Amino acid sequence: MKKTLYLACFLAIVSALAGGLLAAVNEVTAAKINANALAEVMGSLEKVFPGTTYAEVTEYTDESGLVTGVYQAEGQGYMFQVETSGFKDTIKFVLGIDNDSKIVGYDVISISETSGIGSRVAEDDFRNTVIGKTTGDKVDTLSGATISSTAVVKGLDAAKAVYASLSGNAAPAPSTPTAPETTKEPEAPASSATILDQQEDGSQVTVTVEAKGFQGNNTYTVVIDKDSQEVLSVAMTTFADTPGVGDAVNDEYLAGFAGLNTADAISAVDVKSGATYTSNSAIDAVKAAWNAVFTVEADQPTAGADNAGEDAAVLTSADGALETYTVKAKGFQGDNEYEVVIDTEKQEVVSVKMTAFNDTPGVGDTVNDDYLAGFAGLKSEDEIAKVDVKSGATFTSNSAIEAVRAAFAASQK
C-alpha cells in the first residue's frame, strides 16, 4: 500500500516537472518563431514606414485565413504578412497600408512560381500596379499568369479586409475575379495548324504537323491507320512553349489520342490544366492530320495528285534536240515554277531548275538543286513518277515531280 502511494506521488511530481519543462520550451520556441516572423518583415517595415516604432497586432479578424501577421506602425499605418497558394507553391508577401487607406508597400518575400510567368507577381511591373492604389481600388490580374496573380489579389483583398476591421474604414469590394480562370493561360486562339509532310506506308499514314502554341510553334508526328480509321500515335517532336508549364503536354497526355476515330472525338479531348495553349496546339495538330488523311481540302493537294497537266508546260526555247519548258505546279502554299530541259532525240530529261519558290521557307526549300539533279537521265513518265519525295517536303517534292512529268509529256507530242 505504501509502495503504491509512493509511486503515485513520484509520477505526479514527474508529470508536473515535465509539464513545466514543456511549457518553458514552448514559450522559448514561440518567442523564437515570433522573432523569426518579425525578422522576415523587418526590412519591409523599415522601408515602408521608416523611423517609426511598431508593434505586433495579435487580435484581428481574418475570415480568409491568408493573413499570417499584422504589425502597426505608430501613427502611420499597418503592415500585413500574407501567405497564399499560387500555381506551384505558397507565395508569401507583405503589404503596407497607411492611415489614409493608401497602399504604400508591396514586397514578395518568398516565391517558387514559374520563372518569367508566375514570378512576374514579384517584379516591378506588377508591384507598380499595386502601390499607390487605395483599399477601394481594383487590382487586375496578369494575363498569362492568371493563377499566380489571382492568388496574390486574393491575399491583397484579405489584407484590405483586415485593415478595414482594424481602422474602422468600410471594407472594400474584392478585386479578385468572382470566377477566376482555371488555367494560367489566356483563352486559346483559333486553330493554326499546318501540314508539313505526309508519308504513306501501306494503310498507315504519318503526318508531320506544326501548330501554334503559347510562345511559338510546336511540331507533332501523327500516325493514322486509314483502314481502321483511327489515330495510332502522337508524338511531339519540337516543343516551343514554356518549360515547366507547356511540357505538361507530355507522352502520357498525347497517348490519350490513340484509338480516336472521328474529328469530333479528337476535338473533345480535354486540355491539360495550366497548359491550355499547348494542349490546344496538340488537339489542332491531330485534327489537321486527320483531315489531311480523310478529307481533301480545296486548297490543299493530296500527295501524288496531278497538279500540273500537259497544258501547264510551255515551250520557251528549242536548240536542236534540246527543248526548254517552263512549268507551274501547285505546291503546299502556292505555285512553284520550274525550268525543265528535255533531249527529244534521246528522249530523256537533261536538267531541272526551280525558278520560283512559293512554299514554306525552311521546309519546302529542301527541294533544292541536289534533289532536282536526280531527274537527269530519266526516260519516261513512269520513271519520273517513281522519284522519291523529299522527307519533310512532300507537297513541294510532288510539285517538282508533276512539273517534270508535264514537260516530258509535252515533249512527246
Side-chain angles (χ1 to χ4, degrees):
M1 182 69 177
K2 286 183 179 180
K3 287 184 179 181
T4 303
L5 182 61
Y6 289 151
L7 181 59
C9 290
F10 175 74
L11 290 176
I13 293 169
V14 170
S15 297
L17 290 174
L21 181 61
L22 183 59
V25 170
N26 285 341
E27 186 175 350
V28 171
T29 304
K32 188 174 182 180
I33 292 171
N34 289 338
N36 289 339
L38 186 60
E40 265 192 322
V41 297
M42 181 71 74
S44 298
L45 280 167
E46 292 293 341
K47 184 166 59 176
V48 175
F49 300 117
T52 188
T53 58
Y54 44 83
E56 183 178 6
V57 178
T58 57
E59 293 185 7
Y60 57 88
T61 301
D62 173 32
E63 295 180 357
S64 71
L66 301 179
V67 177
T68 58
V70 180
Y71 304 89
Q72 183 174 22
E74 186 179 0
Q76 296 194 50
Y78 293 88
M79 183 73 82
F80 302 89
Q81 188 170 9
V82 181
E83 294 185 13
T84 182
S85 296
F87 179 67
K88 295 177 70 174
D89 205 345
T90 300
I91 302 170
K92 296 172 69 174
F93 67 88
V94 291
L95 184 74
I97 304 176
D98 69 14
N99 288 335
D100 293 324
S101 301
K102 183 178 179 181
I103 297 174
V104 291
Y106 166 75
D107 276 319
V108 174
I109 55 180
S110 177
I111 187 169
S112 300
E113 299 298 271
T114 306
S115 178
I117 302 180
S119 65
R120 290 158 55 202
V121 298
E123 297 173 2
D124 287 342
D125 285 347
F126 183 72
R127 183 181 294 110
N128 292 337
T129 68
V130 177
I131 296 175
K133 283 184 165 54
T134 69
T135 55
D137 292 332
K138 178 182 177 182
V139 176
D140 293 326
T141 57
L142 287 172
S143 175
T146 310
I147 289 181
S148 301
S149 55
T150 296
V152 169
V153 171
K154 283 183 178 178
L156 296 175
D157 288 339
K160 291 178 188 178
V162 174
Y163 170 83
S165 68
L166 292 172
S167 65
N169 295 333
S175 52
T176 305
T178 54
E181 296 178 24
T182 57
T183 67
K184 66 172 298 304
E185 296 172 343
E187 184 180 353
S191 171
S192 57
T194 302
I195 304 295
L196 301 181
D197 188 34
Q198 185 170 323
Q199 301 279 351
E200 293 193 22
D201 182 9
S203 66
Q204 294 187 10
V205 184
T206 301
V207 186
T208 304
V209 194
E210 184 180 77
K212 186 171 180 60
F214 182 64
Q215 290 189 321
N217 293 327
N218 302 311
T219 306
Y220 302 85
T221 299
V222 184
V223 181
I224 294 172
D225 192 300
K226 289 195 299 183
D227 289 348
S228 62
Q229 295 192 1
E230 66 179 1
V231 178
L232 297 182
S233 65
V234 181
M236 185 187 294
T237 54
T238 303
F239 174 71
D241 281 342
T242 311
V245 180
D247 50 12
V249 177
N250 51 22
D251 291 343
E252 183 179 357
Y253 176 82
L254 296 175
F257 290 96
L260 300 183
N261 54 13
T262 67
D264 287 343
I266 294 167
S267 298
V269 171
D270 290 335
V271 298
K272 189 77 172 179
S273 178
T276 307
Y277 263 73
T278 311
S279 300
N280 276 299
S281 81
I283 294 168
D284 289 342
V286 180
K287 282 174 61 181
W290 182 272
N291 290 333
V293 172
F294 296 110
T295 308
V296 179
E297 301 290 349
D299 61 346
Q300 181 172 294
T302 302
D306 184 2
N307 300 312
E310 289 181 24
D311 293 341
V314 178
L315 179 63
T316 54
S317 67
D319 183 7
L322 299 180
E323 294 183 351
T324 301
Y325 292 86
T326 298
V327 192
K328 286 185 177 180
K330 188 171 182 61
F332 180 71
Q333 290 188 321
D335 291 337
N336 301 312
E337 188 173 281
Y338 301 85
E339 182 182 271
V340 184
V341 179
I342 307 289
D343 188 317
T344 56
E345 286 185 359
K346 295 181 179 180
Q347 294 192 4
E348 69 178 17
V349 179
V350 176
S351 65
V352 181
K353 179 181 179 182
M354 185 185 292
T355 55
F357 172 72
N358 289 299
D359 278 343
T360 310
V363 180
D365 51 11
T366 56
V367 176
N368 50 24
D369 291 343
D370 287 343
Y371 176 81
L372 296 174
F375 290 96
L378 300 184
K379 294 180 176 291
S380 70
E381 287 188 59
D382 286 343
E383 288 184 357
I384 295 166
K386 291 177 181 178
V387 171
D388 290 335
V389 297
K390 188 77 172 179
S391 178
T394 305
F395 290 110
T396 309
S397 300
N398 277 298
S399 79
I401 292 168
E402 297 306 326
V404 180
R405 285 180 63 187
F408 192 90
S411 72
Q412 302 302 301
K413 291 183 178 179

